[in-house]
Amino acid sequence: MWKVTNQSDTEAEVFLYDVIADFDSEQWGYVSAKSVINKIKALGKIENITLRINSYGGDVFQAQAMYNYLKSHPATVTVRVDGLAASAASMVAMAGDKIIMPENSLMMIHNPAGGVVGEAKDMRDTADVLDKIRDLIVGAYAAKTGQPRDKLIDMMDNETWLTATEAHDLKFCDEVAEAVEIAAVANKGAIIYSNGFGFARADESLCGKMPKHFVNFNPKPKSKEDKSEMDIKNVTELEAAYPDFVNEIRNAAVNTERERLKALDDLNAPGRESIIAKAKYEEPRDVRDIAVELLKADGVTAKMNALHQDAGAVNGALSPHITPNANTEREVAMSLVLNEMNRMRGIH
């Protein structure tokens, strides 16, 4: 979600709650610098702009364009980090004449990332370009914070997450406000496709470090007069209120279970049957949970097969004129197993 609105004839409010990209998509939550800038321009002469940010970041060049436009705008720009200003979004935040972070908000800075396919020279050239882009970002941070460039580069090298208090101590924000509850988060595509400062959008390194967010089904406070909202107390009520949503969850669960069972079936083999059956139905587990047990089972099976072959060879050597039968092979195999067990115990 992103929008630009007139609060009055001289004031505007800009919501940047999306991934910063070089194209726009309301469905996936992407917004470009061109869209933001054109919307602000369309408002005419504005004296005060409030930029509200809750973004995982995105394309560095689009962020740079937003930053430069806001820095050069004659209006006073106040930035409020409503939830998160990460990666490229932290750079846009630096355009604020005043930056406010509630106590429960975060800011994250890190190095630009990119990918290239080609010769060694192409790799070196790309590394040089990334260093230059990093220097542009450092310039924006340094201009706002007054921190030494070396310190800022070190913070970016180590991907630094800042609480509001930490950001204030380092001059990344000017004011720490009282914590506010956030009822909305960026669209579901934001995490997957945001690698922050970079060209490629397939880097998911940020995902594992992000706190989990849950959708608030009743984001608006209810009044006694408002009967349109309902309290969800159990699954039945949830399904009645949101049938499509519950159905989506149910289908996802069925597909996940089907994939789990298929993965277990694909690994089934002689010696593994009991482990697979137990993992499928008795104590449900996936392939990763039983990997060690399968390896052990394979080792036992392999040893028994080897002993069985040895038994046949011994039988043939002892009675070459007799074709060994199943009982004879089994007896010899059992004898060999017992001898091996005694040897391992130190019994001769």
Side-chain angles (χ1 to χ4, degrees), residues 5 10 27 96 130 242 270 281 300 311 323:
T5 59
T10 60
Q27 178 182 0
L130 287 173
Y242 304 96
Y281 307 114
V300 172
T323 301

Side-chain angles (χ1 to χ4, degrees), residues 26-300:
E26 185 175 347
Q27 178 182 0
W28 294 104
Y30 294 157
V31 61
S32 68
K34 182 178 180 180
S35 293
V36 173
I37 293 170
N38 285 342
K39 286 280 188 178
I40 296 174
K41 283 183 176 180
L43 298 177
K45 293 183 178 180
I46 297 296
E47 296 178 5
N48 296 288
I49 296 174
T50 299
L51 172 63
R52 308 184 74 108
I53 298 178
N54 185 29
S55 173
Y56 299 103
D59 188 298
V60 62
F61 299 117
Q62 296 294 313
Q64 180 81 14
M66 292 182 189
Y67 169 83
N68 286 337
Y69 176 76
L70 290 169
K71 286 295 288 184
S72 62
H73 199 284
T76 298
V77 178
T78 300
V79 171
R80 295 188 65 94
V81 180
D82 287 340
L84 172 69
S87 196
S90 69
M91 183 182 184
V92 179
M94 296 301 105
D97 297 300
K98 182 177 184 180
I99 302 173
I100 303 170
M101 292 181 65
E103 292 174 347
N104 59 345
S105 63
L106 290 170
M107 185 176 290
M108 185 274 280
I109 66 173
H110 66 171
N111 280 325
V116 65
V117 176
E119 301 175 358
K121 181 179 181 300
D122 299 317
M123 308 294 179
R124 295 187 186 97
D125 289 345
T126 301
D128 291 339
V129 171
L130 287 173
D131 284 341
K132 291 179 180 179
I133 295 172
R134 180 205 61 196
D135 291 341
L136 290 176
I137 301 163
V138 170
Y141 294 150
K144 177 62 183 177
T145 67
Q147 297 292 334
R149 295 179 67 89
D150 290 345
K151 180 176 181 178
L152 292 168
I153 290 173
D154 184 63
M155 291 174 66
M156 293 171 69
D157 286 342
N158 292 288
E159 186 176 296
T160 303
W161 290 77
L162 301 170
T163 64
T165 300
E166 291 169 338
H168 184 263
D169 291 343
L170 292 169
K171 309 299 184 185
F172 278 90
C173 76
D174 302 293
E175 180 182 327
V176 177
E178 184 178 352
V180 293
E181 182 178 353
I182 300 169
V185 297
N187 288 350
K188 61 184 179 180
I191 295 178
I192 299 175
Y193 293 99
S194 171
N195 75 329
F197 297 117
F199 312 124
R201 295 184 179 83
D203 180 5
E204 300 182 19
S205 63
L206 182 59
C207 303
K209 301 177 183 180
M210 286 302 305
K212 294 181 179 178
H213 296 284
F214 298 90
V215 176
N216 183 349
F217 287 106
N218 299 299
K220 298 179 181 179
K222 291 195 301 179
S223 64
K224 293 181 180 179
E225 294 76 19
D226 185 6
K227 304 297 183 182
S228 62
E229 303 282 357
M230 64 174 66
D231 292 323
I232 305 299
K233 298 185 179 66
N234 52 51
V235 175
T236 302
E237 292 182 2
L238 179 64
E239 185 169 15
Y242 304 96
D244 293 339
F245 178 70
V246 173
N247 189 53
E248 184 179 346
I249 294 175
R250 184 178 290 117
N251 290 338
V254 169
N255 291 335
T256 299
E257 178 64 6
R258 185 180 292 122
E259 291 172 2
R260 185 185 75 87
L261 294 176
K262 183 179 183 305
L264 290 169
D265 285 335
D266 290 343
L267 288 178
N268 211 348
R272 295 179 167 185
E273 295 90 348
S274 62
I275 298 173
I276 296 293
K278 187 175 181 180
K280 287 173 68 175
Y281 307 114
E282 297 175 29
E283 298 176 5
R285 294 182 293 171
D286 62 24
V287 172
R288 292 169 296 182
D289 296 329
I290 61 172
V292 174
E293 293 178 54
L294 292 178
L295 289 173
K296 290 180 179 178
D298 290 345
V300 172

